[in-house]
């Protein structure tokens, strides 16, 4: 641990003179973990399957097969919007760099990662993000979802933690871990010199959390961390007007522990109607503003000595058709209103900026619930530009929007350099140039950064144009298939369908870099799972040998599957199948497509 923290400190040391700032801060919730087959051998929150028959909308299920691509090569992710940068892995350092630099260019000071407990996968995300953040003077905190700890999730990892008493004792260890590894880290989120975290709940009771606080050991000189307690009571409708909750007995108990009532997503109390037939409940932009008023009146306007950190809140809208309440069969909606909802929430807070120390945005990346501000194909970078505009007003700094598009260009060039390296091109000098461009972006030296990126882009285009390229498409008749065949296709329910490639192509794919795709049609009947596997040399083999997994949604239709193939994951051997397809799903018309680079 000490060595890990030292590496973060050394990274931050170089950036500190350029990024240190005083005064107000802006943070964004970070939702994860999302993976890719190429980087991790799995998909995480990009995919989603759930029964939604209890919804009043009439929608029966969610079936987001993120391994599948559409005609635009967009993966069918669990979201109503699609990331501008595409489906990426949250553990990819290049992607982390892209997100951190993009957020920083929009006036955001740090991410609060949704976090539950130490062995949870989100802790891997936390550890992966900290050193990248340190490099660029960015802060990393947590949105502590301690409900994850009090569910049975922790018991599946540690069977002995099977009671509330045991979970509370373990929560104390988790809090100490946060103190030592997050709040005392060089990347700690600090407001008025005090570590800050968002306390989402809904796990420990106030009495249980009191014992957690009593067991905590703070390093010398550290102020007690400020917990921003989620207060999101729903309220009611009266004469078609939203009436927010202004008092909570439970919140009073949390306040006695020093926690500070802070907003989360505005309540959606309006029932489904003809204009909102796709959702069970919704809220209007006016509702979102009304939701914020109790925080202004009972927290922000309270004398400073009562609350050491006061936080405003903004979110761009909501459309959770990607998850329906995470399988609870409830669809929620708050319109983005072409960006006006987000602007109005920011304006409500900036009008009160003299009372506020920080802003909290929900969220940076929750595509599944549909309240992300990261750039998407549908909304562009509109929310980033809104963030920069109002963050600059809030912090009384200059808004320079020239930096907003640069991290995307940097990310694309890093991936192009990786492609050329796989195609046997020397890229060490290019990587150093891109590293320098990244530092320039983090320092807001946008003009020289843009010039350097343009230079690198031109160099890489020239290298790419010199690489011989061949397109190869194999129809089903050109492949060697084995398995149980029926008149309308293959049924791999009991016996896998295997796919072998011609010997000449195998030899070519072994020695050359390529981009590949697998195509077939499948009968979308029942609720079945179809696996496509291959041999792999990557470790651990179990996840990486999965080329794709899809589930049927019982539409009764023949559907098309288009699946990306990754050279680093797949072993192409002679006199043996390359792909193994298994599941009670009828398939037909298999084909393969490759773009092969080099000789």
């Amino acid at each position: 641990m000490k060595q890990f923290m030292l590496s973060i400190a050394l990274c931050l040391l170089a950036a500190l003179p350029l990024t240190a700032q005083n005064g107000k801060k802006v943070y964004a919730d970070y939702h994860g973990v999302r993976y890719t087959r190429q980087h991790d051998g799995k998909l995480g929150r990009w995919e989603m399957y759930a029964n939604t028959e209890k919804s009043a909308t009439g929608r029966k299920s969610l079936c987001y097969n993120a391994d599948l691509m559409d005609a635009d090569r967009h993966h069918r992710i669990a979201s109503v919007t699609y990331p501008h940068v595409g489906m990426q892995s949250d553990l990819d350092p290049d992607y982390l760099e892209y997100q951190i630099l993009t957020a920083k260019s929009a006036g955001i000071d740090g991410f609060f990662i949704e976090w539950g407990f130490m062995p949870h996968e989100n802790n891997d995300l936390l550890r992966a993000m900290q050193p990248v953040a340190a490099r660029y003077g960015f802060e990393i905190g947590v949105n502590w979802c301690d409900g994850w700890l009090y569910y049975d999730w922790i018991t599946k990892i540690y069977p002995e933690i099977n009671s509330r008493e045991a979970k509370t004792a373990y929560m104390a260890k988790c809090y100490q871990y946060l103190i030592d590894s997050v709040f005392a880290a060089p990347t700690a989120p600090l407001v008025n010199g005090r570590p800050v975290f968002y306390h989402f709940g809904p796990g420990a009771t106030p009495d249980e959390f009191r014992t957690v606080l009593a067991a905590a050991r703070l390093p010398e000189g550290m102020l007690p961390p400020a917990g921003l307690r989620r207060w999101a009571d729903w309220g009611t409708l009266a004469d078609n007007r939203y009436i927010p909750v202004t008092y909570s007995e439970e919140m009073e108990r949390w306040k006695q522990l020093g926690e500070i009532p802070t907003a989360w997503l505005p309540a959606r109390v309006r029932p489904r109607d003809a204009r909102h037939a796709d959702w069970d409940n919704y809220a209007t932009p006016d509702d979102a503003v009304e939701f914020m008023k109790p925080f202004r009146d009972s927290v922000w306007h309270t004398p400073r000595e009562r609350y050491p950190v006061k936080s405003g809140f903004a979110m761009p809208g909501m459309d959770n058709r990607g998850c329906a309440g995470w399988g609870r069969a409830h669809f929620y909606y708050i319109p983005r209103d072409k960006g006006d909802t987000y602007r109005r929430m920011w304006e409500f807070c900036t009008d009160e900026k003299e009372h506020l120390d920080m802003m909290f945005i929900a969220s940076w990346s929750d595509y599944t619930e549909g309240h992300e501000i990261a750039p998407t194909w549908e909304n562009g970078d509109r929310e980033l530009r809104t963030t920069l505009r109002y963050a600059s007003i809030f912090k009384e700094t200059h808004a320079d929007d020239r930096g907003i598009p640069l991290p995307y260009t940097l990310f694309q060039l890093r991936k192009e350099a990786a492609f050329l390296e796989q195609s046997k091109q020397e890229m060490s000098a290019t990587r150093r140039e891109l590293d320098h461009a990244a530092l320039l972006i983090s320092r807001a030296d946008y003009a020289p950064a843009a010039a350097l990126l343009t230079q690198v882009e031109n160099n890489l285009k020239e290298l790419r144009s010199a690489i011989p390229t061949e397109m190869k498409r194999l129809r089903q008749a050109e492949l060697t298939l084995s398995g149980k065949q029926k008149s309308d296709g293959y049924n791999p329910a009991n016996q896998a369908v295997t796919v072998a490639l011609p010997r000449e192509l195998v030899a070519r794919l072994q020695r050359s870099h390529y981009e590949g795709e697998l195509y077939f049609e499948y009968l979308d009947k029942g609720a079945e799972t179809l696996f496509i596997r291959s041999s792999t040399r990557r470790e651990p083999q179990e996840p990486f040998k999965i080329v794709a997994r899809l589930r049927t949604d019982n539409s009764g239709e023949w559907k098309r599957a288009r699946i990306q193939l990754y050279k680093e994951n797949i072993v192409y051997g002679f006199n043996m199948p390359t792909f193994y397809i298994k599941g009670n799903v009828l398939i037909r018309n298999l084909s393969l497509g490759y773009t092969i680079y080099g000789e």
Side-chain angles (χ1 to χ4, degrees):
M1 176 62 71
K2 290 182 179 178
Q3 185 175 1
F4 176 73
M5 300 296 289
L6 179 60
S7 66
I8 295 178
L10 292 175
C11 288
L12 186 62
L13 188 60
L16 188 58
L18 301 168
T19 58
Q21 56 179 306
N22 299 313
K24 303 180 188 298
K25 297 287 186 68
V26 176
Y27 298 106
D29 175 81
Y30 190 100
H31 182 266
V33 179
R34 291 171 170 81
Y35 305 105
T36 63
R37 298 284 182 209
Q38 183 178 24
H39 193 274
D40 315 285
K42 53 187 175 181
L43 299 177
R45 304 290 78 77
W46 288 126
E47 64 180 351
M48 183 71 186
Y49 309 98
N51 182 301
T52 58
E53 290 180 341
K54 293 181 180 179
S55 169
T57 64
R59 186 167 180 175
K60 303 298 184 184
S61 62
L62 301 181
C63 187
Y64 292 102
N65 288 307
D67 279 315
L68 304 186
M69 297 186 295
D70 63 19
D72 295 322
R73 304 187 82 248
H74 288 181
H75 291 259
R76 298 176 187 173
I77 62 173
S79 174
V80 296
T81 61
Y82 197 76
H84 185 235
V85 75
M87 189 177 87
Q88 305 294 337
S89 167
D90 283 338
L91 299 186
D92 178 354
D94 293 340
Y95 184 52
L96 291 174
E97 175 188 73
Y98 157 77
Q99 294 179 99
I100 286 169
L101 291 179
T102 301
K104 192 168 183 179
S105 73
I108 296 172
D109 297 286
F111 290 146
F112 281 25
I113 296 171
E114 295 187 14
W115 189 90
F117 50 87
M118 288 177 285
H120 192 272
E121 62 182 351
N122 283 42
N123 195 57
D124 296 332
L125 172 61
L126 174 68
R127 294 289 297 273
M129 193 174 283
Q130 283 178 311
V132 182
R135 194 180 311 143
Y136 301 120
F138 198 69
E139 299 175 11
I140 300 298
V142 296
N143 175 358
W144 197 358
C145 306
D146 63 346
W148 302 357
L149 176 58
Y150 282 83
Y151 304 150
D152 64 351
W153 300 2
I154 188 68
T155 308
K156 291 178 180 178
I157 301 172
Y158 299 127
E160 66 276 14
I161 304 179
N162 57 5
S163 66
R164 291 199 69 89
E165 292 78 8
K167 291 175 180 179
T168 301
Y170 191 76
M171 187 177 180
K173 294 181 179 179
C174 290
Y175 189 53
Q176 190 64 49
Y177 171 82
L178 292 177
I179 290 170
D180 298 337
S181 302
V182 178
F183 305 146
T187 52
L190 299 175
V191 180
N192 299 333
R194 184 185 300 271
V196 176
F197 68 98
Y198 193 94
H199 195 170
F200 189 88
T205 66
D207 287 341
E208 288 167 335
F209 195 59
R210 190 186 307 276
T211 66
V212 170
L213 294 175
R217 302 179 308 278
L218 299 180
E220 184 177 354
M222 178 185 285
L223 293 173
L228 307 178
R229 181 71 194 188
R230 176 178 63 126
W231 188 19
D233 291 347
W234 272 47
T236 59
L237 278 177
D239 297 325
N240 202 37
R241 182 172 177 269
Y242 173 66
I243 308 298
V245 172
T246 58
Y247 176 83
S248 165
E249 186 174 336
E250 182 183 5
M251 189 54 59
E252 291 300 312
R253 296 176 64 201
W254 284 107
K255 286 160 62 176
Q256 292 173 10
L257 296 178
E259 300 229 315
I260 305 161
T262 306
W264 184 245
L265 302 185
R268 292 80 64 194
V269 301
R270 297 178 185 270
R272 175 175 174 267
D273 56 31
R275 293 183 60 190
H276 302 86
D278 291 335
W279 303 277
D280 294 283
N281 290 88
Y282 71 98
T284 67
D286 287 342
D287 297 344
V289 174
E290 288 297 320
F291 179 79
M292 295 297 298
K293 290 181 180 178
F295 297 94
R296 176 195 64 189
D297 299 338
S298 66
V299 179
W300 304 351
H301 288 180
T302 300
R304 168 65 57 189
E305 53 270 16
R306 185 167 184 184
Y307 299 117
V309 176
K310 300 178 183 180
S311 178
F313 178 84
M315 52 87 72
M318 183 182 190
D319 187 344
N320 79 338
R321 284 177 289 177
C323 68
W326 300 103
R328 290 190 291 272
H330 215 103
F331 294 93
Y332 293 127
Y333 181 63
I334 304 173
R336 288 187 181 241
D337 203 14
K338 299 180 180 179
D340 282 345
T341 299
Y342 192 46
R343 283 190 285 269
R344 289 183 63 185
M345 294 195 77
W346 262 106
E347 286 173 356
F348 181 84
C349 294
T350 52
D351 285 347
E352 301 288 333
K353 65 186 178 71
E354 69 271 18
H355 300 292
L356 297 175
D357 305 294
M358 60 171 277
M359 284 290 296
F360 189 67
I361 302 166
S363 64
W364 174 260
S365 58
D366 197 341
Y367 302 96
T368 321
E369 286 195 348
H371 49 79
E372 77 291 331
I373 65 167
T376 63
W377 284 94
E378 292 77 8
N379 299 311
D381 60 9
R382 180 185 63 210
E383 272 68 57
L384 287 186
R385 294 181 183 277
T386 298
T387 304
L388 176 60
R389 174 186 174 188
Y390 288 101
S392 299
I393 294 171
F394 184 66
K395 294 190 285 188
E396 298 180 350
T397 57
H398 172 65
D400 186 349
D401 64 0
R402 294 177 300 165
I404 287 178
L406 296 182
Y408 177 77
T409 302
L410 172 67
F411 178 78
Q412 295 295 97
L413 293 176
R414 285 208 185 275
K415 295 309 178 188
E416 179 67 3
F419 163 83
L420 291 169
E421 197 165 51
Q422 289 175 315
S423 300
K424 302 175 183 178
Q425 302 288 323
E426 173 55 47
M427 287 289 111
S428 57
T430 297
R431 291 189 182 281
R432 288 193 295 271
E433 290 175 323
L434 293 176
D435 290 345
H436 183 52
L439 285 174
L440 290 172
I441 294 170
S442 73
R443 296 168 180 170
D445 290 334
Y446 298 139
L452 181 54
L453 291 175
T454 298
Q455 175 186 320
V456 172
E457 184 176 17
N458 291 336
N459 292 342
L460 296 187
K461 282 182 179 177
E462 185 176 349
L463 290 172
R464 165 78 80 138
S465 66
I467 298 176
T469 303
E470 179 186 355
M471 307 288 290
K472 186 75 174 176
R473 183 68 181 262
L474 289 84
R475 305 294 177 181
Q476 183 166 307
E478 300 172 85
L479 302 169
T480 301
L481 274 64
S482 68
K484 186 176 181 180
Q485 189 171 10
K486 301 177 67 174
S487 60
D488 48 356
Y490 284 85
N491 184 1
N494 299 315
Q495 178 183 354
V497 170
T498 64
V499 183
L501 280 61
R503 186 181 182 88
E504 296 175 357
L505 180 60
V506 168
R508 185 80 184 279
L509 296 176
Q510 284 181 337
R511 68 174 183 266
S512 302
H513 186 48
Y514 70 80
E515 294 172 337
E517 293 180 357
L518 170 66
Y519 310 87
F520 58 89
E521 294 176 308
Y522 66 97
L523 183 59
D524 186 35
K525 184 177 180 181
E528 305 289 347
T529 303
L530 185 72
F531 282 94
I532 300 97
R533 293 182 170 90
S534 71
S535 296
T536 187
R537 295 189 180 92
R538 297 189 68 177
E539 296 291 346
Q541 288 197 4
E542 183 54 38
F544 283 108
K545 68 183 180 183
I546 299 176
V547 176
R549 179 186 68 168
L550 65 88
R551 296 191 189 182
T552 55
D553 200 27
N554 203 30
S555 69
E557 302 172 350
W558 281 96
K559 293 185 176 180
R560 294 181 178 180
R562 182 181 185 181
I563 295 166
Q564 203 162 357
L565 305 175
Y566 302 105
K567 179 180 175 69
E568 56 265 50
N569 288 12
I570 299 170
V571 172
Y572 292 86
F574 297 108
N575 302 318
M576 60 178 287
T578 296
F579 302 107
Y580 304 81
I581 306 174
K582 186 72 183 297
N584 189 22
V585 181
L586 196 62
I587 60 174
R588 69 186 185 189
N589 296 334
L590 280 83
S591 64
L592 287 162
Y594 292 97
T595 303
I596 304 173
Y597 303 96
E599 65 86 18

